[in-house]
Amino acid sequence: MINPTPLQESTQDSASWKDAQALKNAVGEWSKKINVQVQQIQLRPMKRKWASISITTGRLTLNTELLNLPKELGEFVIVHELVHLLVPNHGKLFKCFVSAYLPDCEDRERKLQGFVRRV
């Protein structure tokens, strides 16, 4: 996954997440679409990742910075992490699953990289 640093600028606009519950609701919707179960969702500040998932416990941890991103980028992070419940690595099968759920995943990933501060 892409490693974030603090965002360059706030992106509060109509395409941003309303609140933490809206982000959690999106996880529930995508879990149903992908047919995986998330046991726990937590939001917390993370210095090096947008999110992480434990394939043994089903706990999804989301970076609070996601609340400031456009929904399409948050959805990319969510789908990326949920697909790890199907395929634990980033190989060809993983990429095929992500592409199947988000045909524009490469574009979303590029946009997400644009929100990372250049050090």
Side-chain angles (χ1 to χ4, degrees), residues 86-105:
L86 301 173
V87 182
N89 57 50
H90 290 116
K92 288 182 183 179
L93 184 59
F94 175 86
K95 291 175 183 176
C96 286
F97 272 113
V98 174
S99 260
Y101 291 109
L102 293 174
D104 63 342
C105 64

Side-chain angles (χ1 to χ4, degrees), residues 10-117:
S10 177
T11 58
Q12 289 293 343
D13 59 27
S14 61
S16 295
W17 299 97
K18 179 179 157 189
D19 56 22
Q21 190 57 51
L23 186 59
K24 289 180 178 183
N25 290 346
V27 171
E29 292 169 16
W30 279 105
S31 295
K32 288 177 187 170
K33 290 178 186 176
I34 297 172
N35 198 25
V36 295
Q37 287 191 332
V38 175
Q39 299 301 319
Q40 181 184 6
I41 305 166
Q42 65 181 21
L43 274 80
R44 68 176 180 84
M46 300 173 79
K47 292 182 180 182
R48 294 188 166 90
K49 297 180 180 183
W50 289 112
S52 66
I53 194 156
S54 168
I55 58 174
T56 55
T57 65
R59 181 176 54 218
L60 175 63
T61 304
L62 299 168
N63 188 329
T64 53
E65 294 270 7
L66 289 171
L67 293 169
N68 298 319
L69 293 181
K71 288 181 183 180
E72 69 172 344
L73 304 185
E75 286 181 336
F76 168 75
V77 172
I78 290 167
V79 170
H80 178 106
E81 295 304 323
L82 294 180
V83 168
H84 278 304
L85 295 172
L86 301 173
V87 182
N89 57 50
H90 290 116
K92 288 182 183 179
L93 184 59
F94 175 86
K95 291 175 183 176
C96 286
F97 272 113
V98 174
S99 260
Y101 291 109
L102 293 174
D104 63 342
C105 64
E106 290 178 3
D107 183 49
R108 292 185 193 213
E109 186 171 15
R110 271 192 297 280
K111 287 178 182 177
L112 184 62
Q113 290 172 342
F115 285 94
V116 178
R117 179 185 292 161

